[in-house]
Amino acid sequence: MSPSPLLLLLLCAVVGAATAAVPRYREAPHFTNSAAAQCPPPVPPSDADAACSPHAAVHVAMTLDASYLRGTMAAVLSVLRHASCPESIHFHFIASASGSGSGATTAEELRATVRASFPSLAFRVYPFADEARVAGLISTSIRGALDRPLNYARSYLASTLPPCVRRVVYLDSDVVLTDDIAALAATPLPDAAVAAPEYCGANFTAYFTPGFWASPALSATFAGRRACYFNTGVMVLDLARWRRAGYTAQIEEWMELQKRLRIYELGSLPPFLLVFAGRIAAVDHRWNQHGLGGDNYRGLCRGLHAGAVSLLHWSGKGKPWDRLDAGRPCPLDAVWAKYDMLRPAAGIESS
């Protein structure tokens, strides 16, 4: 019996959805090390062995997810374009072990997409081995996007990346750099495991519930610490020091308490603040011009903070690729568009 027309339509829809799970991206130009910068030899573009290469001058960690892949591709391009030694950078991508996005895009599909656009890039994709356990620790927050286990992968870099990686720059997928990432990676961390721009003018108490501050035992967590807000989307991490101190276990302890007492509302950030606020190395604010997504408000365009700019960060609900596609971009989205690698849809290719 031949299939009915309705069944054929359904089959075509399923096949179409599968083939469209990962959009097509342009191939990036090859960026070479600057002779004037006295770069080490290029890192071999191997997915397996390059992570421990002595020639890897800078290690960068990011998550790899179908929903944010367009942002990740733009971020990688911006890092390479402005690096003095782009061939000496190694990327570490953490992907969902169970697939991501509505089409359950696999880590291998994401890896192949990155390799097709960056043929000479030194990188490795790591399935997020702790995903199931993290899912059991997550409490619902005020934004559903913050409740994905992969959003917590930054807390597990010390156990996910090889022990040979002792220092890494962590970047969210909604950033673009306009400066050499080597300068950020070289941030001194004399007695800290985390370096990030601090914002001591922010209302720090707002990141925790009234019940947290009403408890003498809980609020004493910050006693003796000049605790300030910092954004975890751009950080330099000393993984060797992190491993020795067991910071992942400390973050998990706060997540377990949150399941019982509800001491905060906002995803993976508060546990980081509980462990590290007041104990991080300072980074110049130019390395995280954040809030360009409008924070927790849709449709809100924001300008840059005063001062120099080395990294733009569209933290918040409003992502530049969504606003550009909707024809309602904010002024600074034009900066992000310069790094957009998405191929135009068939039929609207530029001539």
Side-chain angles (χ1 to χ4, degrees):
M1 180 183 295
S2 59
S4 68
L6 177 59
L7 180 58
L8 287 173
L9 285 173
L10 290 173
L11 288 172
C12 289
V14 170
V15 172
T19 56
V22 182
R24 296 180 62 199
Y25 293 88
R26 296 179 289 108
E27 182 176 328
H30 176 68
F31 297 95
T32 58
N33 286 349
S34 167
Q38 297 182 332
C39 301
V43 181
S46 164
D47 288 2
D49 303 324
C52 294
S53 169
H55 305 315
V58 175
H59 291 273
V60 180
M62 304 181 71
T63 57
L64 199 59
D65 174 82
S67 301
Y68 288 86
L69 180 60
R70 189 171 171 186
T72 301
M73 301 289 273
V76 172
L77 178 63
S78 73
V79 169
L80 298 176
R81 179 172 291 174
H82 297 285
S84 56
C85 300
E87 295 175 298
S88 303
I89 300 173
H90 191 284
F91 282 85
H92 305 264
F93 297 113
I94 298 88
S96 170
S98 58
S100 65
S102 58
T105 306
T106 66
E108 175 55 30
E109 289 175 305
L110 294 170
R111 187 207 66 79
T113 300
V114 174
R115 177 57 72 208
S117 289
F118 300 98
S120 58
L121 185 70
F123 75 93
R124 179 177 172 184
V125 177
Y126 306 77
F128 186 25
D130 294 288
E131 184 173 13
R133 192 162 107 263
V134 172
L137 290 170
I138 294 175
S139 301
T140 56
S141 70
I142 60 175
R143 282 180 57 200
L146 302 177
D147 297 338
R148 300 176 305 125
L150 201 59
N151 193 48
Y152 291 76
R154 71 197 79 194
S155 302
Y156 294 84
L157 295 176
S159 57
T160 302
L161 274 54
C164 62
V165 180
R166 300 176 61 84
R167 175 182 286 226
V168 68
V169 177
Y170 174 81
L171 299 175
D172 271 352
S173 296
D174 51 2
V175 307
V176 296
L177 278 76
T178 59
D179 208 341
D180 190 351
I181 196 171
L184 175 60
T187 300
L189 284 86
D191 55 1
V194 177
E198 289 184 295
Y199 303 89
C200 294
N203 182 6
F204 187 79
T205 59
Y207 292 95
F208 302 95
T209 63
F212 173 88
W213 295 113
S215 167
L218 293 174
S219 59
T221 301
F222 297 111
R225 293 158 59 177
R226 185 173 179 266
C228 297
Y229 161 75
F230 65 94
N231 182 280
T232 57
V234 180
M235 299 183 289
V236 183
L237 304 177
D238 184 330
L239 295 184
R241 182 175 280 125
W242 184 298
R243 294 173 181 124
R244 290 194 301 269
Y247 285 128
T248 298
Q250 295 181 38
I251 289 173
E252 287 186 339
E253 288 175 4
W254 285 111
M255 293 174 67
E256 290 169 353
L257 181 63
Q258 162 75 353
K259 295 283 285 187
R260 302 194 304 270
L261 296 181
R262 196 71 181 179
I263 58 176
Y264 55 80
E265 302 289 352
L266 194 63
S268 63
L269 171 62
F272 249 89
L273 296 178
L274 286 160
V275 175
F276 294 111
R279 296 170 174 166
I280 70 172
V283 174
D284 192 282
H285 287 183
R286 68 192 177 98
W287 285 107
N288 195 352
Q289 289 272 351
H290 68 290
L292 302 182
D295 290 337
N296 292 325
Y297 301 93
R298 290 189 184 275
L300 176 62
C301 292
R302 291 196 171 185
L304 295 173
H305 309 295
V309 181
S310 293
L311 182 150
L312 292 84
H313 186 186
W314 281 263
S315 57
K317 287 185 176 180
K319 302 308 176 188
W321 52 89
D322 290 333
R323 295 192 296 223
L324 287 162
D325 288 350
R328 297 190 298 271
C330 290
L332 287 173
D333 294 347
V335 178
W336 184 90
K338 296 177 182 178
Y339 302 93
D340 187 8
M341 296 187 64
L342 185 69
R343 284 184 181 275
I348 59 171
E349 294 273 3
S350 58
S351 58

